[in-house]
Amino acid sequence: MAEADAFPAALAYTLAGLLPALAQGQLHAPSAPFDVHQDGRLLRIPARTYYDRGQLLNCTRLAGDAGVLALCLGTRHHDGHLREACARQLLQQERAWTVPFVVHLCGEYVLEIVAVIGAALPAWNTEALARYLRENPAYLDTLERRSISYWSCYYRGQYPVWDGYPGRRTMAALRTLQGLTPR
């Protein structure tokens, strides 16, 4: 159960109830986890999930933490449109444990997702974001390098100057949050 390593232990019971529903029609197991830390705990978050689209969407409508867990896992889905839909809904949540799922999207290639998150960052879960970013400086460096790489490879024609690229603005917002002084 790789997904269990992606969340705090306090959510294990809720996640255990959700996973059988997500497994119905699943193409194959989640793949290539990445490691981050949150509040001193190691999390192993799948880079991609392969749940059946309909099953995942049904699960995102569940009440409470179960629906939010499904949204988090949906942000890792292999379908970029579904990742974006889940990200938009996840940005309406303020649970600290959702932060790693939102931040990871900032270093991906789907510019529409990066722009949505970049616009939401100044007002979204500021303290949890700042704490998470300070705890994972090398990870944030990696996301920024990816953002630069995607800009150079795919978006340089549309945004000839790095400073005009939405991914750069999103990374700048993350860097600003990382520098916030803890209360």
Side-chain angles (χ1 to χ4, degrees), residues 20-85:
L22 287 174
Q24 294 177 22
Q26 182 177 8
L27 298 175
H28 56 79
S31 66
F34 60 92
D35 294 346
V36 291
H37 290 87
Q38 189 174 36
D39 298 328
R41 294 182 308 268
L42 175 67
L43 301 177
R44 301 204 66 183
I45 299 174
R48 285 289 176 257
T49 60
Y50 302 90
Y51 307 117
D52 175 79
R53 179 184 181 86
Q55 280 300 110
L56 178 61
L57 289 172
N58 286 338
C59 289
T60 64
R61 295 182 194 102
L62 295 171
D65 287 342
V68 180
L69 287 165
L71 287 172
C72 287
L73 293 169
T75 67
R76 310 308 325 127
H77 198 269
H78 65 94
D79 178 335
H81 296 288
L82 191 50
R83 281 198 309 278
E84 181 180 357

Side-chain angles (χ1 to χ4, degrees), residues 143-155 162 165:
L143 292 181
E144 189 165 35
R145 284 190 300 273
R146 284 185 190 152
S147 183
I148 292 167
S149 180
Y150 289 131
W151 164 72
S152 182
C153 188
Y154 300 112
Y155 296 108
W162 167 243
Y165 178 59

Side-chain angles (χ1 to χ4, degrees), residues 43-183:
L43 301 177
R44 301 204 66 183
I45 299 174
R48 285 289 176 257
T49 60
Y50 302 90
Y51 307 117
D52 175 79
R53 179 184 181 86
Q55 280 300 110
L56 178 61
L57 289 172
N58 286 338
C59 289
T60 64
R61 295 182 194 102
L62 295 171
D65 287 342
V68 180
L69 287 165
L71 287 172
C72 287
L73 293 169
T75 67
R76 310 308 325 127
H77 198 269
H78 65 94
D79 178 335
H81 296 288
L82 191 50
R83 281 198 309 278
E84 181 180 357
C86 289
R88 285 179 183 277
Q89 292 178 61
L90 198 55
L91 287 167
Q92 297 172 20
Q93 304 296 321
E94 290 286 328
R95 292 163 171 91
W97 49 267
T98 64
V99 168
F101 294 88
V102 171
V103 170
H104 192 73
L105 291 167
C106 296
E108 290 196 358
Y109 60 90
V110 181
L111 192 56
E112 294 81 0
I113 298 173
V114 173
V116 164
I117 293 170
L121 280 178
W124 185 75
N125 223 348
T126 305
E127 287 184 35
L129 267 166
R131 203 170 43 251
Y132 176 74
L133 295 168
R134 282 191 302 273
E135 198 169 359
N136 293 284
Y139 170 72
L140 184 56
D141 292 344
T142 298
L143 292 181
E144 189 165 35
R145 284 190 300 273
R146 284 185 190 152
S147 183
I148 292 167
S149 180
Y150 289 131
W151 164 72
S152 182
C153 188
Y154 300 112
Y155 296 108
R156 191 173 265 197
Q158 187 177 356
Y159 300 96
V161 178
W162 167 243
D163 283 345
Y165 178 59
R168 199 243 12 117
R169 290 192 297 276
T170 300
M171 285 298 139
L174 290 174
R175 291 293 185 189
T176 298
L177 287 165
Q178 183 184 36
L180 290 179
T181 305
R183 290 184 189 190

